[in-house]
Amino acid sequence: MPREHRKRGKKKKGNKEEAEHELEQQDEEYHEEPNPQWMETNDEVNLEAPFGYVDPDVKGYFRTVDARIQEWQSHDYAQDDADEEGNTNEDKRMFLVAALSESSGKELQLSTDPDCSIILERMLHSMDDVVIRVFADRLCGSYVQLAQHRFGSHVCQTLLEVASSTVAREARGRIAKPTDSENKNGVLRTMTELTVAISDELLASLSQLILDPFGAHVLLSLLVLLSPQITRNQDSSHPNTTLTRSKKSAAYKSRQGSMKSILSSGTEQTSTAVVPTSFQDIAAKFLDKLRESTDANEIRAFAANKVANPVLQAMIDLEAQQGKSDTPGSLIDSVLMGTISSLAQGTEPQQSDYVETLLRDPTASHLFEALVRHAPTKAFQALWKLYFKGKLGRLCSHPVANFVVSKSITRLDSPGLLEALQEVEPVSSKLIKTGRTGVLKSLVDQAVAAGAHEEAVSEVLCRVVDVEESTIQLLIPCLLTLKSRKAYSKATGSVDNPEANSEPTEPTVQGAVILQSMLKLSDPHNQRVIQSIHAQSTDEILTLSRHPVSSRVLDAFLDSPSVPLRDKRKFLLSLMGSYHVLVDDRIGSRVGDRCWACADPFLREKIARSILPHEMTLSASYYGKYFARNLHLTMLKRDAAAWRDRQRDQKKAAAEMNNTEAVKIKVDATPTDTNDSTKPKKRKRAAEDEIDALFSKASSSRKTLGQAKDKDEPAPAPAPEPENAKASDPQLNEVLGAIKKVSKKEGKRKSKKS
């Protein structure tokens, strides 16, 4: 557009008053703005960081520490051995000391930080006894606040778990002494004294912690530390950690990687938990405090609470250990609506709707299992009569109540077991179809434990799947797949039939567990399962051995002491010629190892000679090479007599080991104060070589003879050795035999040269 056609707009005359008014409004808005959040003073406690936030530089430093510790934990190194970077245990210890010195005075802040709390947990597993005591002492006075914190509660739990080993060592008299520099700030209390202080601190807030979603787990960990038998099952010596940590917590811990010490191996940890006798009194205080601070209605309300229910289970277990379950007013009496009080007064207890709801509630049923396990005999008999007898048909098929029924059956006597079996039999086919076989397994286990009605239990299980003597070969596949004979035949029908193969025929865990329990029955009563195993073809046995579920049945067959040796020999002979196929599999190789361990020397030679034609094939197999290596086939081809002696000695050693296993467990359980038995030995200080030991014995005998000659005293005549002395030491026989063979060959060579 030409410039002459452009027009300039008229200038607007600004209103000075309006401009001044706008400036005043802007000034007012500027002055009315509130202060930033970080400038405000807030007297309320910050629940996310009650002890303050961690400095960003400190947090970055601890992240590098965590990365280095995770790298060391991912590798397994023996003590005093350097890793790939040349770091020894001393270097790792100095690294930990530097990290701990950096955290000095910041323990509370680090424990409540989302990122640093897990790093502290990882470091706790590598701390020695003195450092753990220092760390626990720094947290004293704040345990209640930490227990109620989302991240601080995890640190408290890990601290109490690690402290159990320290307490056990102190109970044995091995108290670690701090250095002079650590004693400047005062006397460091032992872990036993610190546990008492922590207990007193948490005891005052028991009613508050038992309902706290984080504090309840810390309370459980403390109770386990005071009484380690709480989490141990009656039929197992291993602790059950599912009580102290929830599924969510366990899943979170598993995602954090390995949690183990970077300075010591797992074998250094004490195998048995030993606690001072004073801990029993402290645990009794928690029990008395719960009784005094809560009434019966509140205790019954805890049963349906997901947070308080595990704590109440631990308290009931603790009460049973102290022998207070049969007293009126106990926790069991409160939950069971005064059943024990009624029995003590001589009156019959009445049925309660509340107790019936415990059977079917997903949360409260766990508490009912604890009640059944720890209830006195008279109270259990009353429970069985009121809530179980005559109702097993409905309870066994219930998705929740069947677990309680399974636990209850384990406490029945012989007449009660027979009544329960007769009551469960009409609905047993329904239990097989729905897969709720826990009650059937409990019936078999209780029949084995009581030694009664084993034949009746075996017959019931055969009738459940409609298997008779003529079709006994179908017992194993029918029970494994939890199908009746008709359903199994239909599922495994011809491919042309469109209805066939409509249902899966994979082995189930429930069926395999029932078969394993049936193999524990005494000799005449487990023959149905044994005959079914013998009736399977070799290909079917190989198929069973290659499945991770069905192979457990074969393992139980070979390991069960109630299975006669003749049946085991028959099974091993039936696989002759197929062992090279059996062991050429990930699962089958384990079954092959059990077959080899079960075989006598005669059968071992037959198995080894059947493997000889396939030696090269197995040596190239990823799984079969280990089995072939265990057979020592080269020695068998070179010297069959020495190979037989070796196998015979191994069989004797295995038998002696099985006989002395119980004695070793008792010896390990006894506390020892000597430091030599607990210190791990280096790999370099291994046992002496057999030949070195032999010559050392010879040299020592020569020295004694020389000393006797110098003193002109007749040497004492050696005691006559028994004839079987050499046979008792197979390793010495091998060494002497090798020396004799070499000497004979050298003698022949010299005679030829001469």
Side-chain angles (χ1 to χ4, degrees):
M1 180 181 292
R3 182 174 296 179
E4 59 270 11
H5 294 292
R6 294 180 183 177
K7 293 183 180 181
R8 186 175 180 181
K10 296 181 180 180
K11 293 183 179 180
K12 295 182 180 180
K13 296 181 180 180
N15 192 352
K16 295 182 179 180
E17 295 180 358
E18 292 180 359
E20 291 177 358
H21 182 66
E22 290 179 359
L23 290 174
E24 290 177 358
Q25 286 183 349
Q26 291 178 1
D27 293 339
E28 290 177 0
E29 291 177 358
Y30 176 77
H31 290 297
E32 288 178 359
E33 283 185 359
N35 292 328
Q37 187 176 3
W38 60 272
M39 294 180 61
E40 291 183 356
T41 58
N42 189 7
D43 296 334
E44 297 181 359
V45 178
N46 188 359
L47 298 179
E48 294 183 359
F51 305 103
Y53 290 97
V54 181
D55 187 77
D57 296 336
V58 176
K59 186 180 292 188
Y61 170 74
F62 274 95
R63 283 174 180 168
T64 59
V65 171
D66 184 49
R68 180 57 63 88
I69 293 177
Q70 287 191 42
E71 182 183 355
W72 284 335
Q73 286 179 340
S74 61
H75 301 86
D76 293 330
Y77 300 109
Q79 277 204 338
D80 297 335
D81 286 350
D83 57 7
E84 297 176 356
E85 300 179 359
N87 296 316
T88 60
N89 274 346
E90 187 62 29
D91 299 332
K92 298 174 185 177
R93 188 176 288 106
M94 292 175 62
F95 179 81
L96 276 177
V97 169
L100 292 171
S101 62
E102 184 67 27
S103 66
S104 179
K106 309 180 186 69
E107 291 85 1
L108 295 174
Q109 299 175 9
L110 294 171
S111 300
T112 54
D113 187 78
D115 300 325
C116 297
S117 60
I118 190 65
I119 303 175
L120 272 183
E121 292 184 58
R122 202 182 305 278
M123 294 172 62
L124 278 169
H125 289 278
S126 302
M127 294 182 184
D128 57 7
D129 292 349
V130 175
V131 179
I132 290 175
R133 287 157 54 188
V134 172
F135 184 81
D137 187 65
R138 296 281 179 87
L139 301 183
C140 280
S142 305
Y143 277 102
V144 176
Q145 203 167 358
L146 286 172
Q148 295 176 339
H149 192 269
R150 178 182 179 183
F151 302 104
S153 60
H154 289 280
V155 176
C156 292
Q157 277 188 270
T158 306
L159 174 62
L160 294 174
E161 291 172 4
V162 174
S164 60
S165 301
T166 306
V167 170
R169 283 188 284 269
E170 291 179 356
R172 292 184 172 95
R174 296 167 50 202
I175 301 176
K177 296 181 179 180
T179 59
D180 296 336
S181 60
E182 293 173 344
N183 278 332
K184 291 181 179 179
N185 297 328
V187 179
L188 180 62
R189 291 178 289 182
T190 62
M191 198 65 225
T192 304
E193 297 172 349
L194 289 169
T195 304
V196 175
I198 296 171
S199 302
D200 294 339
E201 189 174 345
L202 297 181
L203 182 62
S205 305
L206 177 62
S207 58
Q208 182 181 358
L209 293 175
I210 197 173
L211 293 172
D212 189 83
F214 307 120
H217 295 285
V218 178
L219 194 59
L220 271 175
S221 299
L222 179 61
L223 291 177
V224 171
L225 177 60
L226 297 175
S227 180
Q229 299 300 325
I230 289 178
T231 56
R232 295 182 184 271
N233 298 325
Q234 296 178 354
D235 56 347
S236 176
S237 60
H238 300 286
N240 181 17
T241 57
T242 57
L243 183 64
T244 56
R245 287 194 181 271
S246 62
K247 293 181 179 179
K248 188 175 181 180
S249 175
Y252 174 76
K253 292 279 287 186
S254 63
R255 291 195 300 268
Q256 303 305 318
S258 176
M259 289 284 183
K260 60 182 180 180
S261 176
I262 61 175
L263 301 177
S264 60
S265 59
T267 56
E268 290 187 25
Q269 298 178 358
T270 54
S271 57
T272 56
V274 181
V275 295
T277 55
S278 59
F279 279 12
Q280 297 180 1
D281 300 333
I282 301 174
K285 290 181 181 179
F286 279 88
L287 190 60
D288 297 337
K289 178 72 173 180
L290 182 63
R291 287 178 177 176
E292 295 172 359
S293 60
T294 55
D295 56 2
N297 291 328
E298 291 177 344
I299 291 176
R300 285 191 285 270
F302 290 161
N305 193 311
K306 293 183 179 180
V307 176
N309 185 286
V311 182
L312 188 57
Q313 291 182 49
M315 289 290 187
I316 289 175
D317 196 344
L318 187 63
E319 187 181 55
Q321 292 179 17
Q322 297 180 358
K324 300 178 181 179
S325 299
D326 55 349
T327 58
S330 62
L331 295 179
I332 295 181
D333 188 29
S334 300
V335 176
L336 295 179
M337 302 295 293
T339 301
I340 296 177
S341 300
S342 300
L343 293 174
Q345 296 173 2
T347 60
E348 288 293 331
Q350 300 297 323
Q351 190 173 358
S352 172
D353 296 336
Y354 168 78
V355 179
E356 286 190 354
T357 57
L358 297 181
L359 279 168
R360 297 172 175 83
D361 187 75
T363 302
S365 61
H366 296 281
L367 178 65
F368 205 107
E369 293 181 22
L371 295 175
V372 168
R373 188 167 59 250
H374 298 295
T377 305
K378 293 183 179 180
F380 171 75
Q381 292 175 356
L383 279 178
W384 181 263
K385 183 178 179 181
L386 287 174
Y387 304 104
F388 295 97
K389 191 175 182 180
K391 305 175 184 178
L392 292 180
R394 289 182 286 109
L395 294 177
C396 290
S397 57
H398 194 272
V400 176
N402 71 90
F403 295 101
V404 185
V405 176
S406 301
K407 292 291 183 182
S408 303
I409 288 175
T410 57
R411 292 200 60 180
L412 292 177
D413 52 3
S414 179
L417 179 63
L418 182 59
E419 293 178 0
L421 182 62
Q422 294 173 354
E423 193 173 347
V424 171
E425 185 177 2
V427 297
S428 55
S429 59
K430 183 180 179 181
L431 299 179
I432 289 291
K433 291 180 181 178
T434 56
R436 298 187 178 110
T437 58
V439 176
L440 298 177
K441 180 185 178 298
S442 297
L443 289 171
V444 180
D445 293 340
Q446 186 61 17
V448 174
H453 311 298
E454 297 181 57
E455 183 66 22
V457 171
S458 180
E459 290 179 357
V460 167
L461 290 174
C462 288
R463 286 197 294 267
V464 166
V465 292
D466 194 17
V467 172
E468 301 175 354
E469 295 293 336
S470 58
T471 57
I472 196 65
Q473 70 274 7
L474 295 177
L475 179 62
I476 292 289
C478 288
L479 279 179
L480 271 178
T481 57
L482 293 181
K483 296 180 183 298
S484 63
R485 180 169 57 87
K486 293 181 180 179
Y488 179 77
S489 301
K490 183 179 179 181
T492 57
S494 60
V495 183
D496 299 334
N497 188 1
E499 296 182 358
N501 300 325
S502 59
E503 297 181 3
T505 57
E506 285 290 319
T508 59
V509 177
Q510 296 92 334
V513 168
I514 289 179
L515 287 171
Q516 293 177 56
S517 298
M518 292 180 68
L519 286 169
K520 295 179 183 178
L521 296 170
S522 57
D523 180 17
H525 312 295
N526 59 3
Q527 284 299 318
R528 290 182 174 87
V529 184
I530 295 173
Q531 291 174 7
S532 181
I533 292 176
H534 290 325
Q536 307 298 317
S537 63
T538 304
D539 295 337
E540 291 172 345
I541 292 293
L542 293 176
T543 304
L544 293 176
S545 66
R546 294 183 175 184
H547 197 278
V549 175
S550 58
S551 63
R552 298 292 184 179
V553 179
L554 300 179
D555 295 344
F557 171 78
L558 295 170
D559 294 340
S560 177
S562 59
V563 176
L565 293 177
R566 63 177 184 275
D567 293 313
K568 294 181 181 180
R569 287 174 57 88
K570 184 178 179 181
F571 176 77
L572 296 178
L573 289 172
S574 65
L575 292 176
M576 204 64 64
S578 303
Y579 282 99
H580 63 284
V581 183
L582 173 66
V583 300
D584 193 11
D585 183 73
R586 181 176 66 91
I587 308 297
S589 60
R590 301 179 185 274
V591 179
D593 292 336
R594 291 182 183 272
C595 292
W596 179 258
C598 180
D600 54 18
F602 174 74
L603 283 177
R604 286 189 176 187
E605 185 174 359
K606 291 181 70 67
I607 294 172
R609 293 196 179 278
S610 68
I611 292 289
L612 279 177
H614 311 280
E615 182 181 2
M616 298 302 296
T617 305
L618 289 180
S619 62
S621 173
Y622 185 78
Y623 302 105
K625 61 182 178 182
Y626 300 103
F627 181 80
R629 189 181 303 169
N630 192 27
L631 266 59
H632 302 284
L633 297 177
T634 306
M635 184 179 182
L636 175 62
K637 292 185 291 185
R638 186 178 68 249
D639 192 350
W643 186 89
R644 295 189 194 98
D645 295 338
R646 180 188 181 91
Q647 300 303 322
R648 194 179 299 110
D649 296 336
Q650 287 181 355
K651 197 68 177 177
K652 289 181 181 179
E656 292 176 358
M657 186 180 297
N658 293 333
N659 294 333
T660 58
E661 188 175 5
V663 179
K664 287 183 179 180
I665 293 175
K666 291 182 180 179
V667 171
D668 294 339
T670 54
T672 56
D673 295 338
T674 57
N675 296 329
D676 297 337
S677 60
T678 56
K679 290 183 179 180
K681 297 181 179 180
K682 300 179 182 179
R683 288 187 294 179
K684 296 180 181 179
R685 298 180 182 178
E688 293 182 348
D689 189 74
E690 291 86 350
I691 298 178
D692 295 338
L694 181 64
F695 284 106
S696 63
K697 291 180 182 178
S699 61
S700 62
S701 61
R702 289 175 183 173
K703 289 180 181 179
T704 54
L705 290 174
Q707 292 175 359
K709 289 180 180 179
D710 294 340
K711 294 181 181 179
D712 297 332
E713 294 180 0
E721 295 183 356
E723 296 180 357
N724 57 352
K726 294 182 179 180
S728 62
D729 194 355
Q731 297 180 351
L732 185 61
N733 291 339
E734 292 181 6
V735 175
L736 293 176
I739 294 174
K740 288 179 181 179
K741 289 180 182 179
V742 173
S743 61
K744 287 181 181 179
K745 291 180 181 179
E746 290 180 354
K748 291 180 181 179
R749 291 175 183 174
K750 290 180 180 179
S751 61
K752 289 181 180 180
K753 290 180 180 179
S754 61

